[in-house]
């Protein structure tokens, strides 16, 4: 093969060079957040957000901006698509009819409650959707996935960042406090798993809370949580259809070119189906999960770089009240479900 044949097109190289500074910045922040989390504990996503915010001064740097934008808007779609390898349709059968109904209801009702509370607090409905979806489904991953279906406006980026920070904080608090609730209320293994898996926001915190009690509760809680993660697919499809016209009208959606169902969502669905058929080897599942996590951590780091605490403070106390209200609502709902299940069975 000749040297000329190996030569890459100049526009491609130019575009790649423009992305490298900002992309490498976000990768380094993600690596630092992962190191701190591994050494000292705590949620990687939250560290990535906070470290990213400390580098906000680079968000307006013309050399870094293209890579930061790609990290914030494109890598999240890769990360969400690869979440499909962690879900199998057969997992639903192990939860039972009551569990499936309760967990699906938790997602729908939390989003509905969040929209209602946002209206009462006179907050934008977009913030209500993001915080409700993040609380009801799977934390920051859900916030990022839902955000990708919304009109790409600066306000929505602020709402996404605020939701991510709040969800990470409340999820960590829940990981510490909810095992105490389980102990005080003397919940059984299955009840504890349903409560923890149905009320804590992020997967990592669900696993941590469950295994604080026992390996059996940890497994039960993880299974319940993965069903909530599976609800990400239909919820994002609904919002993709709902906001399609708004995305096109915003002028940031390459009007007319955006497919009815985003490609990353089709990949997500395909991976769920393939994984359910048992065609993905465990090594590939683990590798894809790791890649998904890295893409999401890099994306949230980029989102942190793009926004400052000064801008967040302008939003006031109401968004915090919204996030706290959502957290309390889903926890109370799951406790009601647990006690209703105890009465029925």
């Amino acid at each position: 093969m000749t040297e000329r044949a190996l030569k890459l097109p100049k526009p491609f190289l130019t575009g790649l060079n423009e992305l490298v500074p900002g992309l490498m910045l976000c990768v380094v922040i993600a690596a630092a957040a992962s190191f701190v989390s591994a050494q000292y504990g705590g949620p990687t996503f939250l560290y990535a957000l906070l470290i990213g915010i400390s580098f906000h001064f680079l968000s307006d740097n013309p050399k870094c901006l293209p890579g930061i934008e790609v990290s914030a808007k494109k890598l999240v779609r890769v990360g969400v698509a690869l979440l499909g390898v962690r879900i199998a349709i057969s997992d639903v059968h192990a939860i039972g009819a009551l569990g499936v109904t309760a967990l699906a209801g938790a997602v729908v009702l939390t989003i509905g409650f969040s929209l209602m509370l946002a209206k009462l607090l006179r907050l934008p409905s977009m913030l209500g959707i993001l915080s409700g979806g993040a609380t009801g489904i799977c934390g920051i991953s859900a916030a990022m996935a839902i955000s990708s279906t919304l009109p790409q406006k600066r306000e929505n980026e602020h709402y996404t960042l605020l939701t991510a920070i709040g969800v990470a904080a409340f999820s960590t608090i829940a990981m510490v406090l909810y095992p105490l609730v389980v102990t005080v209320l003397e919940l059984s293994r299955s009840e504890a798993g349903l409560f923890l898996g149905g009320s804590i926001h992020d997967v990592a915190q669900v696993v941590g809370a469950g295994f604080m009690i026992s390996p059996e509760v940890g497994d039960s809680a993880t299974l319940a949580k993965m069903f909530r993660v599976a609800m990400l697919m239909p919820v994002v499809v609904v919002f993709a259809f709902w906001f399609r016209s708004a995305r096109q009208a915003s002028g940031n959606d390459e009007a007319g070119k955006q497919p009815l169902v985003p490609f990353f969502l089709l990949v997500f669905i395909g991976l769920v189906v393939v994984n359910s058929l048992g065609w993905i080897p465990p090594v590939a599942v683990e590798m894809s999960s790791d890649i998904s996590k890295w893409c999401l951590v890099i994306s949230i780091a980029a989102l942190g770089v793009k926004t400052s605490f000064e801008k967040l403070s302008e939003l006031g106390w109401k968004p915090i009240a919204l996030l706290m209200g959502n957290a309390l609502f889903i926890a109370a709902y799951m406790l009601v479900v647990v006690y209703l299940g105890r009465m029925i069975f």
Side-chain angles (χ1 to χ4, degrees):
M1 188 177 290
T2 64
E3 183 178 351
R4 183 177 181 181
L6 289 171
K7 193 173 182 181
L8 294 172
K10 189 174 181 180
F12 174 82
L13 292 174
T14 302
L16 188 62
N17 288 334
E18 290 178 353
L19 297 179
V20 167
L23 182 59
M24 290 305 299
L25 169 66
C26 298
V27 169
V28 170
I29 292 172
S34 299
F35 175 79
V36 173
S37 177
Q39 295 296 316
Y40 303 103
T44 305
F45 284 127
L46 183 58
Y47 291 142
L49 277 169
L50 297 178
I51 296 173
I53 289 172
S54 69
F55 284 89
H56 173 68
F57 65 92
L58 291 174
S59 62
D60 295 326
N61 188 307
K63 292 184 178 180
C64 295
L65 185 58
I68 293 171
E69 290 289 341
V70 168
S71 298
K73 296 180 180 179
K74 303 296 183 182
L75 284 184
V76 62
R77 302 189 176 198
V78 177
V80 171
L82 291 177
L83 283 176
V85 301
R86 298 167 56 183
I87 302 166
I89 297 173
S90 61
D91 292 340
V92 177
H93 298 291
I95 300 174
L98 176 64
V100 167
T101 304
L103 292 169
V107 173
V108 175
L109 292 176
T110 301
I111 295 174
F113 175 82
S114 184
L115 282 168
M116 181 185 70
L117 186 56
K119 186 175 182 179
L120 289 174
L121 293 171
R122 297 182 180 178
L123 291 171
S125 59
M126 296 295 183
L127 182 57
I129 289 171
L130 283 168
S131 59
T135 303
I137 305 174
C138 55
I140 293 177
S141 300
M144 300 291 282
I146 294 172
S147 176
S148 68
T149 70
L150 303 180
Q152 297 301 300
K153 298 179 179 179
R154 183 171 294 274
E155 293 84 359
N156 290 339
E157 291 181 355
H158 294 334
Y159 300 151
T160 302
L161 179 64
L162 181 67
T163 299
I165 292 175
V167 163
F170 284 117
S171 186
T172 302
I173 294 170
M175 180 182 68
V176 175
L177 295 182
Y178 287 7
L180 300 177
V181 174
V182 170
T183 303
V184 171
L185 297 179
E186 298 181 346
L187 302 183
S188 67
R189 182 184 70 181
S190 59
E191 291 172 343
L194 185 61
F195 169 65
L196 296 175
S199 57
I200 298 178
H201 312 27
D202 284 314
V203 176
Q205 277 72 19
V206 169
V207 174
F211 280 93
M212 282 182 190
I213 301 173
S214 72
E216 293 77 16
V217 171
D219 291 339
S220 178
T222 301
L223 184 59
K225 180 61 183 178
M226 291 316 295
F227 178 78
R228 286 171 66 198
V229 174
M231 289 292 292
L232 180 65
M233 177 178 63
V235 168
V236 174
V237 168
V238 169
F239 286 132
F241 276 87
W242 190 357
F243 291 111
R244 183 168 185 258
S245 298
R247 290 197 309 271
Q248 293 177 353
S250 70
N252 295 313
D253 195 41
E254 298 182 1
K257 296 181 181 180
Q258 180 71 16
L260 194 58
V261 180
F263 178 72
F264 78 94
L265 197 55
L266 296 176
V267 175
F268 178 92
I269 296 170
L271 288 174
V272 170
V273 173
V274 173
N275 189 43
S276 300
L277 295 172
W279 293 351
I280 304 179
V283 175
V285 171
E286 184 177 356
M287 184 181 300
S288 298
S289 296
D290 289 341
I291 294 173
S292 173
K293 179 183 177 181
W294 274 105
C295 287
L296 292 173
V297 173
I298 293 169
S299 295
I300 202 70
L303 199 58
V305 173
K306 291 180 65 176
T307 308
S308 66
F309 275 124
E310 181 181 356
K311 293 178 181 178
L312 288 175
S313 65
E314 295 173 1
L315 296 174
W317 60 269
K318 291 183 178 180
I320 305 302
L322 174 65
L323 288 161
M324 182 180 294
N326 290 339
L328 294 174
F329 173 83
I330 195 170
Y333 168 83
M334 291 309 302
L335 283 176
V336 170
V337 167
V338 165
Y339 279 102
L340 284 177
R342 184 180 292 182
M343 292 171 59
I344 294 172
F345 298 103

